[in-house]
Amino acid sequence: AQSVTQLGSHVSVSEGALVLLRCNYSSSVPPYLFWYVQYPNQGLQLLLKYTSAATLVKGINGFEAEFKKSETSFHLTKPSAHMSDAAEYFCAVSPPGGGADGLTFGKGTHLIIQP
Amino acid sequence: KAGVTQTPRYLIKTRGQQVTLSCSPISGHRSVSWYQQTPGQGLQFLFEYFSETQRNKGNFPGRFSGRQFSNSRSEMNVSTLELGDSALYLCASSLASGAGSTEAFFGQGTRLTVV
């Protein structure tokens, strides 16, 4: 069985500061990993995904994440926070190949940007 | 290219009633998955349909059911509604299920309130 743990239900950073959202996974085999963002009253938008290619993955809006097998982590970073980054962020895992068993999501991290 | 369309966006139902939610996937996508999102439980996988067949189901009671039509549109039904069924129901479409499907595109969701 897979699981995802997101450390910190709320993270607050100043505008222009580094954003670091933490995600650790548990899986018997190296999984596929995803980060999604959700704005209020909206669905989920894919930021980036890891599918066993390059361990450093670049996504949209300046976000990137690094897959570290030894640490079972897939932390999301952005060098400089913008006010528009304020949202809920979800880390998710699926079996290699994705699909049928659905995505297993973490509880989410609410990112707050201080002016 | 149109995204994933969920209707209706908002719904209010009374306990004991039943409800049907609709999801139209991205053109060409054959896999539709459903998720329930609540503040307490987060995002939970309900089921996935591919080529009109349910491929997998999450840990939800039999009151939750679904189906997929030949044009890949999907409906989700919840019978005998309970207060705890109040949630945002999200639909996601993918090109394929299992191997080869690594990215799910989400709709904006249907906000169901049970009173």
Side-chain angles (χ1 to χ4, degrees):
Chain A
Q2 303 166 110
S3 65
V4 175
T5 302
Q6 291 183 241
L7 295 176
S9 58
H10 291 78
V11 170
S12 179
V13 301
S14 298
E15 190 174 17
L18 171 72
V19 175
L20 171 60
L21 303 183
R22 299 178 186 274
C23 172
N24 288 87
Y25 68 90
S26 173
S27 177
S28 57
V29 296
Y32 286 179
L33 292 156
F34 308 80
W35 275 100
Y36 283 89
V37 61
Q38 185 178 35
Y39 297 98
N41 297 315
Q42 297 294 317
L44 303 175
Q45 181 183 13
L46 181 68
L47 282 175
L48 48 81
K49 62 180 187 265
Y50 166 77
T51 57
S52 72
T55 56
L56 181 62
V57 181
K58 294 187 183 298
I60 62 172
N61 301 339
F63 285 95
E64 64 181 37
E66 186 173 8
F67 173 71
K68 292 186 176 180
K69 184 179 178 181
S70 61
E71 299 177 8
T72 61
S73 69
F74 190 58
H75 302 329
L76 181 70
T77 60
K78 181 174 180 177
S80 178
H82 191 272
M83 295 299 291
S84 62
D85 294 328
E88 192 82 15
Y89 291 79
F90 294 93
C91 181
V93 63
S94 81
D101 292 334
L103 294 167
T104 299
F105 286 90
K107 292 292 188 183
T109 297
H110 186 64
L111 178 61
I112 301 162
I113 310 297
Q114 305 279 6
Chain B
K1 194 173 187 180
V4 180
T5 303
Q6 290 189 247
T7 56
R9 287 291 312 276
Y10 301 91
L11 206 50
I12 300 176
K13 289 287 187 179
T14 304
R15 272 183 301 175
Q17 286 186 313
Q18 74 166 20
V19 67
T20 300
L21 313 181
S22 178
C23 172
S24 293
I26 292 171
S27 178
H29 285 196
R30 297 169 62 191
S31 170
V32 173
S33 299
W34 288 89
Y35 293 82
Q36 181 195 64
Q37 184 178 24
T38 61
Q41 298 299 316
L43 281 152
Q44 293 183 286
F45 172 70
L46 279 157
F47 31 63
E48 188 212 7
Y49 286 86
F50 179 75
S51 292
E52 302 178 63
T53 300
Q54 186 181 90
R55 293 206 65 224
N56 207 352
K57 184 173 181 179
N59 189 26
F60 279 83
R63 298 185 298 106
F64 292 81
S65 63
R67 58 178 175 170
Q68 187 179 33
F69 302 96
S70 58
N71 62 358
S72 294
R73 189 177 71 85
S74 176
E75 288 183 347
M76 188 192 111
N77 185 76
V78 186
S79 62
T80 320
L81 284 165
E82 301 177 358
L83 294 178
D85 297 333
S86 295
L88 180 66
Y89 290 88
L90 292 165
C91 161
S93 82
S94 303
L95 273 171
S97 181
S101 174
T102 61
E103 182 170 348
F105 294 84
F106 284 79
Q108 292 186 299
T110 294
R111 172 77 61 186
L112 171 66
T113 303
V114 182
V115 297

